[in-house]
Amino acid sequence: MVLGAVVGSVAAIGAGIAAIGAGIGIGQIGKGAVEGISRQPEAANDIRSSMIIAAAFVEAVALFAVVVALLGNG
Amino acid sequence: MYLLEINPLVSPAIGLVFWNTVAFALLFFILRKFAWKPILNAIHERETGIENALSKAEKMKAEMKALANENEQLLQKAREERAVLIKEAKEQSDRMIADAKDKAKAEYDRIVSDAQTAINQQKNAALTDVKNLVGTLVIEVSEKILRRELSNKAEQENYIKQLAEEVKLN
Amino acid sequence: MVSRSMKSLLVLAFSLISLLFSNNTFAIGTADSTNSHHKAEKFDVAKTILDHIRDDYSWHLWGHTSIPLPVILYSDKGLEVFSSAKLMDEHHSPIIYQGNYSYKNIEGKIKVVNADGTVNAELNSKVWDFSFTKNVASLFISVFILLAVFLTVGAAYKKRGVSSAPKGLQSFMEPVVLFIRDEVAKPNIGHKYNTYLPFILTIFFLILINNLLGLVPFFPGGANLSGNIAFTMTLAVFVFIVVNIKGNKSYWGHIFWMPGMHWGMKLFLAPIELVGVFTKPISLTIRLFANMTAGHILVLSLICLIFIFENIFTSIVAVPFAAFIGLIECLVAFIQAFIFAMLSSMYIGMAIEEHHHHGDNEPHYNESDEN
């Protein structure tokens, strides 16, 4: 029982670390996009859509980690 | 397989895979035949239609431009022609004037020369007349002198003098 | 500024959830070991959420009302079909049904059980479960919706012709179709996009409608189909099949014998590229599955906060948050469908692309043209 709880916690910690990574990544994407838009406001639409796509890719990596955490948790 | 059994959440159920394959294949073939084909064809057709219309308009525009260009050229040509005509007319009139002038001059010269010859003739005639007159006068005078001389010597001379003066005055 | 404060609030909520999760597991652990009848009905968040996002043999409508769906099992004794109502007693707790074998619903899966109620693993592997579950029903509902919508639109195009402007549903769907064609298929597949466009469109709309249906919390929606790994895996396998059947000489050349490299490098790259062939569909599978499941878990966790605190006032915070996440999930539903379609067309584009290398004057024709 105690071991099970520990496994769950470790998985949660792993998911948390992955979330940190994804957070940094999405932050970088947002930063880059805002800088790009401020430099070239006329390209704002293109930049925004590429930003969303890139963010979705980074988020997917974090969610992979969540899946792995679920696997570990089960 | 054991790894996938760990969590039911990440183990694909065979039933759902089967039904999904069936449903997707069904959906794909039906939609491809009855939906995507007419939709995409219609969109494509419309796009080509618009493209054609655009290119046609472009062509018309080019044609119009060519036409305008041609007009411009024609106008230019007409203008040039007009200039040439005017120039020619001017030249002709100039020439006519010059001709008339020349003719007038020649006439004038001829008239003048005619007049001159006439004058000369008259002069000659007059001179002949004068000469004849002088001759007759001389003869008359000499006749008179001769008559007077015969009467009075002094008077004769006086008379001659007097006559000579008369002649001068004539 | 608003989004920032929103984010910090979200972080707070998450930390609260994780805190409560860990407390809860400990509480259950201790409760089970020491005193089993002390607060036996304690609310189990993880179990509730998992119950909500997994497949089911009946479709729960409200309260104690649910639609029983047919169970279809195939075993060495032949095919058998029976209603899932027979797997439950009047209190909705699972009971043993005596079919070809004795079946029982154990944690959302039908298992063959022995007389004492334990799982018979040997017989269990003989039984294939083709049941018409909640997700399958939802899948067919979405297929029906798609057929209804797009057959109408297709008929409208046929009837109205191309000269008149689109109207109603037609004008609503045309920009989306055009978006997929011009932003997804054309740039990623290349000039032969027309052949693959129906496939990409079908995948995109199937995923999109299921993502959106999954966000609807009541009857026609509510099934977490696009957050089910079987669904995403099937679609990814379809993409995998198309990519590898249509892959031309240059595609396989790039996998097994990377041109323009030293032969040692070629030998080194071949296994990596070969693994890449399989990781592409796997990443497609996991990305969609994880995104949709995570969204559902998030919304359910926020709603579960109310039951964790056992206080109605928690809903003042939790429900707006859940609605906010729901809005984000609407966006994610579109983005994930778009990304699945885009990556699929990118993989197809890579497989049918015609490369022209230096010193290689002979043009590569696509061998699968006649297919």
Side-chain angles (χ1 to χ4, degrees):
Chain A
M1 263 321 141
V2 174
L3 192 69
V6 168
V7 166
S9 306
V10 168
I13 289 169
I17 292 169
I20 291 172
I24 293 171
I26 291 178
Q28 291 280 339
I29 292 165
K31 179 181 162 232
V34 170
E35 278 175 1
I37 290 172
S38 62
R39 275 207 201 101
Q40 275 180 295
E42 68 274 8
N45 279 331
D46 285 349
I47 292 172
R48 196 176 302 126
S49 55
S50 349
M51 177 189 80
I52 289 171
I53 293 164
F57 278 124
V58 172
E59 199 183 49
V61 174
L63 292 171
F64 287 1
V66 172
V67 170
V68 174
L70 274 175
L71 276 170
N73 215 357
Chain B
M1 210 58 211
Y2 173 72
L3 200 75
L4 289 177
E5 292 286 351
I6 291 172
N7 193 320
L9 209 56
V10 285
S11 59
I14 182 73
L16 190 51
V17 171
F18 167 75
W19 286 112
N20 198 1
T21 310
V22 171
F24 182 78
L26 202 76
L27 186 71
F28 174 61
F29 285 111
I30 293 176
L31 281 187
R32 186 172 71 165
K33 189 151 183 354
F34 296 108
W36 304 135
K37 208 172 250 177
I39 290 173
L40 293 173
N41 280 348
I43 290 173
H44 184 74
E45 222 170 285
R46 187 191 301 150
E47 268 168 6
T48 48
I50 289 169
E51 224 163 80
N52 280 347
L54 277 180
S55 67
K56 218 184 236 169
E58 198 68 25
K59 222 161 84 185
M60 287 284 270
K61 218 165 136 190
E63 256 169 34
M64 288 288 279
K65 212 174 165 186
L67 218 67
N69 228 355
E70 213 169 278
N71 273 348
E72 188 63 29
Q73 262 173 2
L74 272 175
L75 218 67
Q76 185 67 25
K77 217 167 156 190
R79 244 182 242 134
E80 271 166 21
E81 254 168 34
R82 193 187 64 179
V84 166
L85 275 177
I86 287 171
K87 205 175 148 203
E88 265 174 15
K90 196 150 186 271
E91 268 171 11
Q92 202 160 359
S93 71
D94 282 354
R95 209 165 47 232
M96 271 165 84
I97 289 167
D99 278 1
K101 259 188 193 160
D102 285 352
K103 238 182 211 163
K105 186 112 192 300
E107 190 75 3
Y108 160 79
D109 284 350
R110 194 180 56 82
I111 290 167
V112 168
S113 65
D114 279 2
Q116 220 134 30
T117 39
I119 288 166
N120 279 342
Q121 274 170 5
Q122 298 275 330
K123 201 169 89 183
N124 287 343
L127 275 176
T128 328
D129 278 356
V130 171
K131 271 174 196 167
N132 290 344
L133 201 62
V134 169
T136 50
L137 273 176
V138 167
I139 289 163
E140 273 173 23
V141 169
S142 34
E143 201 185 76
K144 276 173 187 171
I145 290 162
L146 283 170
R147 269 178 201 159
R148 265 220 167 154
E149 211 172 328
L150 294 171
S151 55
N152 189 358
K153 184 84 174 169
E155 227 171 267
Q156 231 176 0
E157 280 179 1
N158 220 359
Y159 189 64
I160 289 165
K161 257 188 206 164
Q162 195 193 334
L163 280 176
E165 267 168 25
E166 271 175 25
V167 169
K168 253 182 208 166
L169 281 172
N170 212 353
Chain C
M1 208 55 217
V2 174
S3 67
R4 196 170 197 176
S5 55
M6 214 54 148
K7 235 178 219 170
S8 44
L9 274 172
L10 269 179
V11 168
L12 190 72
F14 281 133
S15 29
L16 267 177
I17 291 169
S18 46
L19 199 71
L20 285 161
F21 258 121
S22 47
N23 277 349
N24 216 26
T25 41
F26 270 113
I28 286 171
T30 46
D32 281 356
S33 55
T34 55
N35 192 355
S36 59
H37 55 81
H38 167 67
K39 268 211 157 186
E41 286 298 307
K42 180 137 181 97
F43 184 68
D44 186 352
V45 180
K47 190 177 172 299
T48 311
I49 291 174
L50 283 182
D51 273 349
H52 271 91
I53 60 175
R54 77 170 172 218
D55 207 354
D56 205 354
Y57 289 100
S58 62
W59 199 322
H60 179 249
L61 294 182
W62 60 80
H64 290 291
T65 318
S66 54
I67 305 171
L69 294 163
V71 174
I72 303 163
L73 297 175
Y74 181 77
S75 58
D76 52 349
K77 287 184 186 168
L79 200 68
E80 55 186 325
V81 180
F82 56 93
S83 165
S84 68
K86 289 180 179 162
L87 286 165
M88 287 185 288
D89 59 9
E90 60 268 28
H91 303 298
H92 288 269
S93 40
I95 50 165
I96 295 174
Y97 170 74
Q98 212 61 50
N100 288 344
Y101 297 104
S102 40
Y103 303 113
K104 194 183 176 194
N105 185 351
I106 296 174
E107 298 199 337
K109 283 248 188 282
I110 290 179
K111 299 271 161 100
V112 181
V113 288
N114 298 321
D116 58 346
T118 54
V119 177
N120 188 334
E122 189 200 339
L123 286 174
N124 206 27
S125 59
K126 284 185 190 167
V127 179
W128 296 80
D129 186 355
F130 292 109
S131 298
F132 201 86
T133 55
K134 182 181 171 187
N135 277 344
V136 177
S138 171
L139 173 66
F140 278 96
I141 288 173
S142 63
V143 166
F144 178 75
I145 293 172
L146 282 180
L147 283 179
V149 167
F150 285 106
L151 292 185
T152 316
V153 173
Y157 274 105
K158 253 183 197 159
K159 199 185 83 188
R160 297 169 58 82
V162 289
S163 51
S164 56
K167 225 174 160 186
L169 200 58
Q170 203 184 352
S171 62
F172 186 70
M173 284 304 164
E174 187 177 308
V176 187
V177 173
L178 277 180
F179 171 76
I180 293 300
R181 195 192 67 169
D182 294 336
E183 305 292 325
V184 176
K186 234 182 221 174
N188 291 318
I189 297 181
H191 65 282
K192 261 187 287 199
Y193 70 93
N194 248 341
T195 320
Y196 303 96
L197 195 49
F199 180 67
I200 300 294
L201 279 169
T202 312
I203 278 193
F204 174 78
F205 281 106
L206 185 62
I207 292 173
L208 179 63
I209 189 103
N210 279 306
N211 285 353
L212 293 175
L213 276 181
L215 291 177
V216 179
F218 41 83
F219 167 62
N224 180 26
L225 179 57
S226 56
N228 188 302
I229 200 154
F231 174 78
T232 61
M233 190 190 80
T234 315
L235 292 184
V237 166
F238 270 110
V239 174
F240 175 78
I241 290 168
V242 168
V243 165
N244 287 291
I245 282 181
K246 299 280 184 172
N248 57 15
K249 207 196 251 169
S250 134
Y251 167 71
W252 292 111
H254 273 74
I255 290 168
F256 291 115
W257 211 238
M258 184 69 86
M261 294 274 181
H262 186 253
W263 66 267
M265 202 64 192
K266 284 177 176 175
L267 277 182
F268 177 68
L269 281 175
I272 295 175
E273 289 285 331
L274 194 62
V275 169
V277 172
F278 295 100
T279 53
K280 280 171 192 168
I282 290 173
S283 75
L284 277 182
T285 307
I286 307 275
R287 180 176 292 109
L288 183 57
F289 157 72
N291 265 289
M292 297 327 290
T293 305
H296 285 238
I297 290 176
L298 207 52
V299 173
L300 286 167
S301 316
L302 285 169
I303 296 299
C304 281
L305 279 178
I306 301 166
F307 301 99
I308 292 164
F309 287 117
E310 292 177 336
N311 184 346
I312 190 71
F313 296 110
T314 319
S315 58
I316 295 169
V317 180
V319 171
F321 264 144
F324 173 67
I325 298 292
L327 278 179
I328 290 180
E329 283 305 305
C330 283
L331 187 67
V332 168
F334 276 99
I335 291 175
Q336 287 307 318
F338 166 65
I339 284 183
F340 197 103
M342 200 188 69
L343 286 177
S344 307
S345 46
M346 211 183 266
Y347 296 153
I348 292 172
M350 277 155 74
I352 63 166
E353 191 183 6
E354 281 150 29
H355 293 273
H356 297 285
H357 297 291
H358 47 274
D360 186 357
N361 296 324
E362 174 189 327
H364 293 264
Y365 296 110
N366 191 355
E367 287 89 274
S368 56
D369 252 355
E370 63 274 8
N371 293 346

